[in-house]
Amino acid sequence: DLGGSWEFHMAGQKKWYPAHVPGCVHTDLLAAGLIPDPFYRTNERDLQWIDKVDWEYKKTFTPGEDLLSRERVRLVFQGLDTYARVYLNGALLIRADNMFRTWSADCRPFLRKGPNTILVRFRSPVSEDLPKRLDLGYQLPGPGWGWIGGLGKLGISMFARKAQYQYGWDWGPRLVTSGIWRPVRLEGWDRARMESVQYLVRSLTPKEARLTARVEVRGTRPGKALLSILVQGTDLPAFTREIDLAEGTGTCSLDLAIPRPRLWWTNGLGEPHIYTLEAVLSGEGRILERRSTRIGLRTLRLVRKKSMGGKSFYFELNGIPLYCKGADWIPADSFPSRVTPGKYEFLVKSAAAAHMNMLRVWGGGIYENDLFYDLCDRYGILVWQDFMFACALYPGDAPFVENATREAAQNVKRLRNHPCLALWCGNNEMDAVLGPWGWMKDFDPEIRKKITADYDRIFHLVLPKVVSACDPTRPYWPSSPLADWGVHTSLQARSGDYHYWGVWHGKAMFESFRDNVGRFMSEYGFQSFPLLDTVSRFSTREDWNIDSEVMKAHQRSGIGNERIRWYMSKYYKVPRRFDHFLYLSQVLQAEGMKIGMETYRRAKPFCMGSIYWQLDDCWPVASWSSIDYFGKWKALQYFARKAYAPLLVSPCEEKGRLLVHAVSDLTKPVTGTLRMEILDFRGPSLWSREVPAEIPSNGSLPLFHVEKKEILAGKDPRRILFHAALVSKGKTLAENVHYFMKVKDLDLPRPKCSFSVKAAKGGVEVRLESPVLAKNVHLYLQKGSAFFEDDFFDLLPGRPVTVRARTALSPEAFEKRLRLLTVWDTLD
Ligand code: BMA
């Protein structure tokens, strides 16, 4: 491992500073005290010089005897960002131009006994790509945040095979970094080594799983070797065969069988069982290499068949039609090298806690670290994997296409053994850029033809070819979405994945989710602000106004503040206080998205996926995320946990009627009672009804309906709520509330919440109660922090609830610091 401490400086300078590998220029400059925190206030603007200069990294190391005694030694960089030249003891070994590729070189002849020096020179991505843009003579469509970096309207991001979000996004700063962003090592070997191991499940029955291992072996000269595969944790004997070695790389196969296989299931359906297989290569009487791979045994099929006036789009897992619930994933930091394993685990665990079973790795970020996919394997979360192209059009010259092809092949090979990996998707929204968004209309026809041909080559020829060659069992889907919201024809919406942005971008009310249901929702979303404790980490008190310069610098959507305020004024009374506004923005987002999430679940099986935009943030910002940069669950994350529960009861209004649906993702039917009630906010129950409920497995159906006129007769809709609960054997399996008016029109009473706190495992238990309705109760601590298991919920009159909180505080200290905020408190 050549990671750890290195030195770096701006090219041409004398003095070197300490650096850390993996890392990047920005984090190294920050650690050396040479720049202020790029996320603080408007510091981003002053740091734009960093991408205009070249940087050098160096390290001196002494290889051990063992390494020097090897026949071959290879220098491997798992990630160089981006335009880099690598020198070992002065000899140029690698010229890199793609952040997403692994770069390696045989370096045995250049290695010395004693100290060796490795130098990596990073050329400025701006100096490298600006000439390409100028030579082209026209601007390829793209997101266009270049003005922040002093480039005016010149967009250059599409020329670089580098994380696109770093050039600025509508939730991300423009911080274009460079560096050795993934591990680097020397690999010594003799005789032969495995270049790759692929496990293909050929057949899977309760009796037996049959697999084929395909191993690429590289030899130094012709001869014989032995390949064995061990299934760890079982008493199965090793599967073994003799193989021929050549000088160079060859492929060999080995069949294996696992009796009574334990399957890999997604979160909510069962255990995501993992098998560890070890491939062992031996020759000349010794072990040459061992390689462990964790796999899962499952069948996963993307089912596309004519149905319901279009074409289905759903996954079938081990024979069961799977409703996908989840969110879109963006890199968890502007500087991906500093995302800790703990942060990865927290985010994936948070997704699982909200009953998600799919994350979509969006194409403007990175092919994630191995750890991310390991975690998704372990938590039973499928990954929809975009190739890294988003919201732009890309050059089509031969070197670019070649570079993209190698990038695709390497990443497909790296990730294909993960059971979590569900689908390869060509890009994010490029189909929309070419068509519906109208970004192409000003080009002259010749250029338009060329751009379209370039698009077709990569996304309809090259990438599907790579997938079918390297990962033949996974589906390839050219672009997400197939149908964009603005101009979709009803056939498209009935046939593929769908990004619905009428809410937010199109200023449609939340209720419009109901008229915009696709077969698989791969994006829809709404923004909110992080709460004050997060805001105060990047701002000072004088910035605490959403239109201040600093807050605007942390709101990257040009329409963002205006949209939030507009929607808020439609549904709520807009509060004057800053902290109340932040809180209410989260309530607005969560309640609005609740309508979307529940609509898309009720629409099962026509609609078989609800993936909302977006799970996480890459810095502290106003955004569509449900978890903020510092890991605080926003109201939306709590609401997702309820809307995505395996069993959902969902009331809604339709054509003058109130309907109550049940949606089940369970594999067994449920029998129980639907208990309904109308409560006055101030306590009394005004109406109640019970009906028997038979809910089939894996389905959605209405359980009850009534004319609104009938149920509301003689009641004041401003003062009542409808509560529905699914009860079986005395246990509440699911519950939900519905209001008949927008919150701004409700006659909310002043809550009189009381609470008591007692010790519980890992923290405390808070018992809350109010004689009158308390709407969207937010729990927080005056000082210090805690993780609340539930938050932003409606506390119904006279119905106490218990909420657990993880904290290190004693119950007494906790009780002293506990504070509550409700919608009523934000009314001036
Ligand atoms: C979608 C995404 C992102 C963007 C989001 C919000 O189209 O693919 O590009 O951040 O909308 O505008």
Side-chain angles (χ1 to χ4, degrees):
D1 183 2
L2 290 179
S5 58
W6 283 56
E7 286 177 298
F8 87 117
H9 68 185
M10 193 196 297
Q13 288 197 332
K14 286 232 162 60
K15 190 169 157 59
W16 291 82
Y17 296 91
H20 189 268
V21 168
C24 70
V25 174
H26 287 76
T27 49
D28 287 331
L29 286 167
L30 181 63
L34 297 170
I35 59 166
D37 179 359
F39 292 172
Y40 191 66
R41 302 195 79 215
T42 58
N43 285 348
E44 169 203 5
R45 293 179 195 161
D46 306 327
L47 302 176
Q48 296 299 320
W49 58 274
I50 297 172
D51 59 50
K52 317 280 185 307
V53 297
D54 299 348
W55 297 92
E56 288 177 336
Y57 278 74
K58 72 168 183 188
K59 183 183 181 83
T60 301
F61 64 96
T62 305
E65 276 303 316
D66 183 40
L67 191 73
L68 288 170
S69 71
R70 301 293 169 150
E71 251 179 275
R72 299 280 167 90
V73 180
R74 181 150 71 169
L75 174 61
V76 184
F77 285 87
Q78 285 182 10
L80 287 167
D81 177 11
T82 289
Y83 299 108
R85 287 181 179 211
V86 179
Y87 302 84
L88 180 60
N89 301 322
L92 175 62
L93 290 191
I94 293 169
R95 288 163 197 258
D97 61 0
N98 187 329
M99 171 185 183
F100 305 124
R101 282 170 61 182
T102 291
W103 295 92
S104 61
D106 283 321
C107 65
R108 181 72 195 82
F110 306 95
L111 266 187
R112 300 182 189 139
K113 238 184 153 142
N116 286 251
T117 300
I118 185 165
L119 176 81
V120 185
R121 186 168 292 149
F122 290 97
R123 187 154 140 81
S124 144
V126 174
S127 331
E128 187 73 29
D129 290 323
L130 199 52
K132 296 182 197 160
R133 161 64 188 85
L134 297 172
D135 286 351
L136 193 65
Y138 56 85
Q139 180 63 56
L140 283 164
W145 304 89
W147 57 272
I148 299 175
L151 300 175
K153 285 193 159 58
L154 296 170
I156 56 168
S157 53
M158 58 290 282
F159 297 97
R161 293 312 299 145
K162 175 167 170 50
Q164 301 284 286
Y165 76 110
Q166 293 183 340
Y167 291 85
W169 216 267
D170 59 3
W171 38 258
R174 185 183 181 282
L175 292 165
V176 184
T177 195
S178 291
I180 305 167
W181 73 293
R182 278 183 168 155
V184 46
R185 57 176 190 264
L186 287 165
E187 294 174 352
W189 55 286
D190 299 312
R191 196 64 200 95
R193 56 166 291 154
M194 292 178 273
E195 295 282 18
S196 75
V197 182
Q198 177 182 22
Y199 293 100
L200 285 159
V201 180
R202 274 183 298 124
S203 72
L204 187 56
T205 66
K207 238 176 96 192
E208 189 177 59
R210 288 175 188 222
L211 288 86
T212 298
R214 278 168 56 181
V215 185
E216 276 180 301
V217 180
R218 182 167 160 206
T220 52
R221 61 199 132 83
K224 298 274 179 213
L226 211 61
L227 176 69
S228 313
I229 304 223
L230 295 136
V231 185
Q232 292 187 339
T234 67
D235 45 19
L236 292 174
F239 300 87
T240 300
R241 65 166 281 196
E242 196 183 66
I243 59 169
D244 291 319
L245 295 178
E247 190 187 333
T249 305
T251 305
C252 59
S253 299
L254 177 55
D255 289 342
L256 49 145
I258 302 177
R260 291 177 308 282
R262 291 173 68 182
L263 299 183
W264 185 89
W265 289 101
T266 46
N267 183 30
L269 281 188
E271 185 210 354
H273 187 79
I274 301 285
Y275 284 91
T276 304
L277 303 187
E278 189 179 38
V280 184
L281 185 67
S282 30
E284 294 166 0
R286 64 200 167 99
I287 289 177
L288 300 171
E289 194 190 350
R290 295 170 175 274
R291 187 183 292 212
S292 277
T293 310
R294 288 185 292 270
I295 65 152
L297 300 176
R298 93 286 192 275
T299 57
L300 189 71
R301 217 156 60 84
L302 174 63
V303 183
R304 309 247 28 241
K305 59 178 186 218
K306 276 198 174 157
S307 82
M308 300 187 235
K311 217 166 170 192
S312 67
F313 190 104
Y314 70 89
F315 293 91
E316 196 184 79
L317 175 66
N318 301 324
I320 295 182
L322 179 74
Y323 190 96
C324 291
K325 298 174 286 196
D328 292 278
W329 168 278
I330 63 164
D333 204 297
S334 285
F335 311 116
S337 51
R338 75 169 170 191
V339 183
T340 61
K343 183 159 193 181
Y344 272 116
E345 176 143 20
F346 172 79
L347 287 169
V348 174
K349 219 170 147 172
S350 295
H355 305 290
M356 294 186 185
N357 59 16
M358 179 178 267
L359 291 171
R360 170 170 170 252
V361 177
W362 165 81
I366 57 172
Y367 304 91
E368 273 297 343
N369 289 1
D370 295 336
L371 174 65
F372 170 80
Y373 303 93
D374 287 341
L375 288 164
C376 290
D377 287 344
R378 260 207 281 135
Y379 284 94
I381 295 189
L382 291 173
V383 174
W384 169 308
Q385 179 70 47
D386 285 0
F387 285 99
M388 292 302 126
F389 302 87
C391 302
L393 288 167
Y394 293 82
D397 55 276
F400 185 90
V401 175
E402 163 82 11
N403 196 358
T405 311
R406 285 174 186 262
E407 161 197 326
Q410 276 189 359
N411 283 287
V412 171
K413 283 181 161 186
R414 173 166 74 91
L415 302 178
R416 64 190 172 185
N417 285 320
H418 287 280
C420 67
L421 195 68
L423 167 135
W424 291 101
C425 172
N427 64 70
N428 176 70
E429 293 182 339
M430 285 177 65
D431 220 63
V433 169
L434 265 180
W437 290 1
W439 291 10
M440 297 292 292
K441 64 177 188 310
D442 295 333
F443 284 107
D444 79 51
E446 274 311 298
I447 295 180
R448 202 181 313 150
K449 223 164 104 188
K450 178 181 182 320
I451 293 179
T452 309
D454 289 344
Y455 175 83
D456 287 342
R457 182 170 327 119
I458 295 188
F459 298 100
H460 291 291
L461 217 67
V462 168
L463 294 182
K465 235 178 164 170
V466 167
V467 172
S468 71
C470 303
D471 195 14
T473 63
R474 286 216 176 63
Y476 172 79
W477 182 245
S479 183
S480 179
L482 175 85
D484 191 59
W485 62 273
V487 276
H488 71 266
T489 63
S490 58
L491 181 66
Q492 280 174 323
R494 292 184 155 269
S495 298
D497 73 323
Y498 191 9
H499 293 187
Y500 176 59
W501 281 106
V503 167
W504 184 264
H505 287 293
K507 259 187 159 173
M509 301 300 277
F510 293 127
E511 288 69 23
S512 72
F513 282 124
R514 300 196 187 128
D515 308 315
N516 289 278
V517 180
R519 304 309 292 259
F520 193 103
M521 306 306 296
S522 38
E523 278 186 20
Y524 61 100
F526 193 86
Q527 272 204 0
S528 71
F529 285 92
L531 295 182
L532 197 61
D533 47 355
T534 289
V535 168
S536 55
R537 289 172 79 168
F538 66 76
S539 64
T540 59
R541 209 166 254 279
E542 76 214 47
D543 307 320
W544 291 1
N545 160 358
I546 62 159
D547 294 313
S548 70
E549 202 186 345
V550 168
M551 286 305 290
K552 282 209 311 227
H554 291 253
Q555 163 58 281
R556 309 311 284 242
S557 164
I559 54 170
N561 283 358
E562 178 270 314
R563 277 292 189 280
I564 294 176
R565 211 186 266 120
W566 185 83
Y567 276 91
M568 199 184 278
S569 72
K570 297 284 168 205
Y571 291 93
Y572 296 89
K573 293 195 175 120
V574 181
R576 252 175 295 178
R577 261 178 68 166
F578 179 67
D579 54 341
H580 289 170
F581 190 92
L582 303 181
Y583 153 80
L584 206 61
S585 78
Q586 290 203 4
V587 171
L588 174 72
Q589 177 195 33
E591 294 279 4
M593 290 296 286
K594 173 180 192 271
I595 298 177
M597 291 184 285
E598 291 189 11
T599 297
Y600 296 137
R601 286 198 67 195
R602 288 196 303 266
K604 176 182 182 174
F606 177 83
C607 174
M608 287 296 280
S610 159
I611 308 295
Y612 68 75
W613 185 264
Q614 71 203 60
L615 184 78
D616 55 327
D617 277 331
C618 68
W619 75 318
V621 66
S623 83
W624 296 262
S625 72
S626 56
I627 302 177
D628 83 13
Y629 176 71
F630 295 114
K632 294 282 290 180
W633 280 27
K634 290 179 169 179
L636 174 56
Q637 185 69 18
Y638 290 101
F639 274 52
R641 176 185 241 180
K642 288 171 192 168
Y644 283 169
L647 197 59
L648 171 75
V649 47
S650 175
C652 67
E653 289 179 35
E654 211 180 273
K655 296 187 191 121
R657 294 192 309 175
L658 174 71
L659 282 112
V660 184
H661 278 256
V663 183
S664 168
D665 294 339
L666 301 171
T667 49
K668 289 201 180 88
V670 174
T671 308
T673 307
L674 176 67
R675 260 187 213 156
M676 295 165 290
E677 214 175 348
I678 289 191
L679 292 178
D680 186 291
F681 293 166
R682 285 145 184 94
S685 170
L686 305 179
W687 174 94
S688 69
R689 179 80 60 88
E690 281 193 15
V691 295
E694 295 279 339
I695 303 150
S697 66
N698 209 4
S700 162
L701 82 171
L703 290 179
F704 176 77
H705 64 88
V706 63
E707 290 301 317
K708 251 178 80 183
K709 265 199 277 181
E710 186 186 319
I711 198 173
L712 291 180
K715 304 176 190 78
D716 182 350
R718 294 174 309 135
R719 296 164 70 104
I720 56 170
L721 64 91
F722 174 82
H723 179 252
L726 206 62
V727 186
S728 177
K729 299 186 191 111
K731 257 182 73 184
T732 302
L733 304 180
E735 62 179 320
N736 212 334
V737 284
H738 176 80
Y739 295 83
F740 296 95
M741 310 217 72
K742 299 208 168 94
V743 177
K744 68 172 180 179
D745 298 321
L746 296 178
D747 177 14
L748 291 177
R750 178 194 193 133
K752 300 180 194 104
C753 301
S754 53
F755 55 80
S756 57
V757 179
K758 67 173 198 210
K761 205 172 151 239
V764 298
E765 224 175 65
V766 185
R767 189 173 183 277
L768 285 148
E769 166 159 36
S770 169
V772 300
L773 170 73
K775 188 116 188 53
N776 301 105
V777 180
H778 167 48
L779 304 166
Y780 65 100
L781 297 184
Q782 180 85 76
K783 253 199 207 136
S785 71
F787 178 80
F788 291 94
E789 298 272 315
D790 197 4
D791 204 1
F792 299 94
F793 50 85
D794 291 353
L795 185 60
L796 304 189
R799 312 277 161 102
V801 298
T802 302
V803 178
R804 287 156 70 95
R806 259 179 272 142
T807 176
L809 292 175
S810 70
E812 298 72 37
F814 190 91
E815 184 158 349
K816 265 200 204 115
R817 297 183 194 186
L818 183 62
R819 297 288 180 277
L820 266 59
L821 185 64
T822 72
V823 172
W824 187 88
D825 300 298
T826 68
L827 302 172
D828 290 319

